[in-house]
Amino acid sequence: MIARKHDVVIGGAHMSDGGGRTFFGHPWGLATLFCTEMWERFSWYGLRAILATFMAASPAHQGLGLSQETSQAVVGVYGALIYLVALPGGWIADRVLGARRSVFWGGLVIMSGHISMAVPVTSPVFVWLGLLLIITGTGLLKPNISVMVGRLYPEGDDGRRDAGFSLFYLGINLGAFFAPLVVGRLAADDRWHLGFGAAAVGMALGLIQYVWGGRHLRGVGERPGVRLSPSERRRFAVIAGLGTVIALVALGAWAATGTLTVDRLTVVITVLILVVPVAYFAYIMLGSHDLTADERIRMKAYIWLFVAAALFWMIYDLAPSKLLFFAADHTDLSLFGVPIQAATTQSFNPLFIMIFVPVFAALWVRLGTRVSTPQKFGFALVMVGLSFVVMAVAAALAGAGRVSVWWLVLVYLVQVFGELSLSPVGLSVTAKLAPEAFKGQMLGVWFIAVSVGDAVGGQTGRLGRVLSEPAYYLVLAAMAVVAGMALFLFTRRLRAMMAEHHEPGMR
């Protein structure tokens, strides 16, 4: 649908006060970015809905034949790297390509990655190449398309900008909802590469309409913010080339020892990802950087929230691995008597998000400052912990045979209550608590929390060696609930550190 500020419809499109078309009262360029992001998310969530089960499927079923434990670790590291590369991707757009070209080239590389994975050969080389290309392309596209949405609006138009991002968020979830339904159906009966091909088609459609609708972007993102000088470009090329060579040599040397395996590689990558936030926070806290005493105190509070967020995502982002395997192996895959694919369960989350986003948005406005950021984070951790208590019950019942898929419906519903309490305030609290010298950089740090959570969550599959299935879920549930309760207990202290005060008359 297309709308404008006033209610006159002309030929299916509406005219703004200035005579230009608008998209639900927003700049028409938002429609271009909305559709691009929707199709990119279609490709991302479509792949994610079948990746773990493809990797764990035996070669006889056209899969890679990895263990479920290793497949979970790979999916975790893959998701972690997706969020981690958003930092260099944003830098490349700011200093080299500009946001607009970064989105285009990123989409093209993503599409190439899906095409690589769709090649119907038994060798896994095309699969690993495809994943590498998708990670690289997403690093260019994902952060920069959001930047372009913000730049469609003039300074001071914060209300419309916020509403525009809400529409943009709807596009993300529409793509996330439909992708598992379509890709999961196509990939059924071992037609994995057909599913990967569908993800490639989705990204291709996004690119076509991005180029077609580019004229509506009104020059947004065409130039880098601060372009590298020729000497800086040479230095960047040397550093990037040297880093690539060192990484390849290290992997080659490791392979030559005969000890390089996919499983061990995921462990090394996870450790490296964990080093990133530790080193970054140490750099901020131990250096001078002209930080005031108040800024240092706020950063200490933020570190606790960062750890809480990483723990939340560690559990929440097990959906495309551990919970997907449970759906495939232990549930009766039917809803209202209609057979579904295991991948279809990945659509429950975005469906609930679309339903409950307006509810939670209204709730937070109504509650105002009576509910603090630590309390929202604490509630999110308790919810994600309780969702795994439900999983523990379902896993125990599954010992006697397949259980209803409605158990997973309940799990995703509870988890969404947690996500909507944590995710929307993450960037906001990051911007609020960031020291002045690190305002721009710190926004990317929030995504590192997701990266850490995904990477560590992927490694939790190893607990299955010593724990039963129900015990596995209960251990993770206990970690989340205890952390959530700790945030509730220390809310007053954290609010003081954050300079986040109650309204008069409130405790």
Side-chain angles (χ1 to χ4, degrees), residues 53 60 64 162 219 319 409 411:
T53 44
L64 294 189
D162 290 348
V409 173
V411 167

mmCIF file of all heavy atoms in Angstrom, residues 53 60 64 162 219 319 409 411:
data_model
loop_
_atom_site.group_PDB
_atom_site.id
_atom_site.type_symbol
_atom_site.label_atom_id
_atom_site.label_comp_id
_atom_site.label_asym_id
_atom_site.label_seq_id
_atom_site.Cartn_x
_atom_site.Cartn_y
_atom_site.Cartn_z
ATOM 1 N N THR A 53 20.327 -28.228 9.341
ATOM 2 C CA THR A 53 19.850 -29.561 8.966
ATOM 3 C C THR A 53 20.546 -30.062 7.707
ATOM 4 O O THR A 53 20.785 -31.270 7.560
ATOM 5 C CB THR A 53 18.325 -29.558 8.765
ATOM 6 O OG1 THR A 53 17.944 -28.400 8.013
ATOM 7 C CG2 THR A 53 17.609 -29.523 10.105
ATOM 8 N N ALA A 60 24.298 -39.402 1.903
ATOM 9 C CA ALA A 60 23.252 -40.138 1.184
ATOM 10 C C ALA A 60 22.010 -39.290 0.988
ATOM 11 O O ALA A 60 21.226 -39.524 0.057
ATOM 12 C CB ALA A 60 22.900 -41.412 1.949
ATOM 13 N N LEU A 64 26.157 -32.581 4.279
ATOM 14 C CA LEU A 64 27.602 -32.604 4.512
ATOM 15 C C LEU A 64 28.025 -33.705 5.474
ATOM 16 O O LEU A 64 29.216 -33.996 5.596
ATOM 17 C CB LEU A 64 28.068 -31.247 5.068
ATOM 18 C CG LEU A 64 27.945 -30.036 4.134
ATOM 19 C CD1 LEU A 64 28.644 -28.829 4.753
ATOM 20 C CD2 LEU A 64 28.520 -30.331 2.754
ATOM 21 N N ASP A 162 11.740 7.948 13.085
ATOM 22 C CA ASP A 162 11.437 6.790 13.932
ATOM 23 C C ASP A 162 10.331 5.940 13.313
ATOM 24 O O ASP A 162 10.394 4.706 13.322
ATOM 25 C CB ASP A 162 11.019 7.248 15.333
ATOM 26 C CG ASP A 162 12.184 7.827 16.128
ATOM 27 O OD1 ASP A 162 13.341 7.653 15.685
ATOM 28 O OD2 ASP A 162 11.925 8.472 17.161
ATOM 29 N N GLY A 219 20.159 10.868 -4.088
ATOM 30 C CA GLY A 219 21.576 11.080 -3.819
ATOM 31 C C GLY A 219 22.047 10.607 -2.463
ATOM 32 O O GLY A 219 23.222 10.760 -2.127
ATOM 33 N N ALA A 319 17.884 -20.826 17.909
ATOM 34 C CA ALA A 319 16.711 -21.189 17.107
ATOM 35 C C ALA A 319 17.079 -21.912 15.808
ATOM 36 O O ALA A 319 16.466 -22.938 15.483
ATOM 37 C CB ALA A 319 15.872 -19.945 16.820
ATOM 38 N N VAL A 409 5.988 -23.462 19.524
ATOM 39 C CA VAL A 409 5.225 -22.217 19.405
ATOM 40 C C VAL A 409 5.277 -21.455 20.725
ATOM 41 O O VAL A 409 5.516 -20.238 20.758
ATOM 42 C CB VAL A 409 3.759 -22.507 19.001
ATOM 43 C CG1 VAL A 409 2.934 -21.218 19.044
ATOM 44 C CG2 VAL A 409 3.697 -23.132 17.614
ATOM 45 N N VAL A 411 7.522 -21.756 23.119
ATOM 46 C CA VAL A 411 8.910 -21.324 23.358
ATOM 47 C C VAL A 411 9.195 -20.012 22.638
ATOM 48 O O VAL A 411 9.727 -19.055 23.224
ATOM 49 C CB VAL A 411 9.908 -22.417 22.900
ATOM 50 C CG1 VAL A 411 11.337 -21.861 22.850
ATOM 51 C CG2 VAL A 411 9.854 -23.609 23.838
#
